[in-house]
Amino acid sequence: MKKIVLSLAVIATLTLASCGNKNADKATTTTEQEVAVEQGDKYSVNLTESNVTWKVGHKGGVNPRYGTLTLKAGDIAIDANGLNAGSYTIDMNSIKVDRASVSADEDIAKLEGHLKSADFFNVEANSTVDFKITNVEDFDAAKHTSKIEGANKVVSGNLTILGKTVNITFPAKVTVENGKAVMDAAFVADRTEWGLVFGTTDKDSGAALNPADWAISQDMEIGIHLVADKVTE
C-alpha cells in the first residue's frame, strides 16, 4: 500500500502545535501496534485536494508558528462499516511557514531551513513521515469527546517521525459519498515522544529544561484534510 508523505514542517506536520489548542483534540499514544488489514474497496488519496497543517506554540504561545505540509502518496480502504485501513506519507521537504505567523522582518526561508535541520526533523536523513492505520472504531459520545464537529470515528495509527514509531489515537470525521471519501481531524501530541526535543533540553548538557523556559511548546498540533477517490478497475 502506498504511503502518504506528509511533509512535516508541521510536526510536523508530521506535524507542531498548540497555542490554546481550542480546535484540536488531545491525542493519546501507546507503543507501535499491528497495522490493519484492508477490507472492501480501495480509495487513492487525492494529492491536490488533500492537505496537512501544523502549528506550534512559540514564546509561551504569544507568537505561534504555523504552516502547511504536502501529501506525497497514500490510500485507504472502505467497506460497509466505513474506513478500516490505510496509510499516508508526509514529504518533510514540503514544510512551509505561513507568512502571517511571523514578523514582517523574519526570514521565512531561514525558519523553514531550521525546521528541516537536525534540530528538528533532520530532513536530509528522514525525508518522510509515515502514518499507518491500526484500528478504526465508531465515535461514541458516551465515552469520547471531540472538538471536531461531526466526529464519527476514532482512528488509531502508527506515526513514524525521525525513524521512531508511536501509535497515536484521535477522533475524526469521515464521510463517504459518490466514490469520494473525506477524513478531517485535528490533534495535539507531545513532540518529544518522537525525539523532537529541541528547546526542551539544555543544548550543552542535554538536561531537561523547566517548561517555563521553553521557547517552543512541547505540544504540536496537526490538522489533516484527507480526500480519497475510489479506485475503479
Side-chain angles (χ1 to χ4, degrees):
M1 176 183 286
K2 296 179 181 178
K3 300 175 181 178
I4 297 175
V5 178
L6 308 174
S7 57
L8 273 203
V10 153
I11 176 184
T13 280
L14 137 196
T15 350
L16 306 176
S18 190
C19 66
N21 309 316
K22 296 179 180 179
N23 301 307
D25 296 310
K26 181 66 176 178
T28 58
T29 57
T30 187
T31 56
E32 182 176 0
Q33 304 294 304
E34 183 176 354
V35 175
V37 177
E38 294 181 18
Q39 302 290 333
D41 298 319
K42 178 177 287 189
Y43 283 65
S44 180
V45 170
N46 186 314
L47 303 181
T48 301
E49 296 184 32
S50 302
N51 62 75
V52 176
T53 59
W54 62 269
K55 186 177 183 181
V56 61
H58 187 254
K59 296 182 179 178
V62 177
N63 297 302
R65 302 290 189 255
Y66 50 87
T68 59
L69 294 165
T70 299
L71 294 174
K72 184 176 184 179
D75 54 56
I76 59 175
I78 303 289
D79 63 9
N81 295 316
L83 175 69
N84 62 77
S87 67
Y88 57 84
T89 302
I90 297 173
D91 178 0
M92 294 313 296
N93 278 297
S94 69
I95 291 175
K96 296 294 181 185
V97 176
D98 192 316
R99 164 52 71 185
S101 73
V102 299
S103 60
D105 60 350
E106 189 162 359
D107 188 337
I108 286 183
K110 183 177 180 180
L111 177 54
E112 291 172 348
H114 191 203
L115 289 170
K116 294 177 183 179
S117 76
D119 281 345
F120 287 100
F121 299 105
N122 196 8
V123 174
E124 184 174 351
N126 301 276
S127 62
T128 65
V129 166
D130 300 324
F131 181 78
K132 299 179 181 180
I133 293 174
T134 58
N135 186 64
V136 180
E137 63 179 271
D138 291 335
F139 183 92
D140 183 351
K143 62 179 182 179
H144 302 130
T145 60
S146 179
K147 297 178 181 179
I148 303 299
E149 184 175 355
N152 57 4
K153 298 290 182 180
V154 176
V155 179
S156 298
N158 293 329
L159 180 61
T160 302
I161 302 171
L162 294 177
K164 182 176 181 180
T165 301
V166 175
N167 192 265
I168 187 167
T169 299
F170 53 86
K173 178 182 179 181
V174 181
T175 59
V176 182
E177 186 176 10
N178 299 324
K180 187 180 289 291
V182 179
M183 182 178 80
D184 287 297
F187 59 85
V188 176
D190 179 350
R191 62 186 172 94
T192 65
E193 290 197 53
W194 288 270
L196 291 162
V197 298
F198 182 83
T200 66
T201 59
D202 182 87
K203 290 183 178 180
D204 297 321
S205 67
L209 296 175
N210 186 308
D213 296 323
W214 294 345
I216 304 169
S217 173
Q218 188 170 341
D219 285 340
M220 63 182 181
E221 181 180 323
I222 305 298
I224 301 171
H225 176 64
L226 191 68
V227 179
D229 300 308
K230 186 176 181 179
V231 176
T232 57
E233 299 297 334

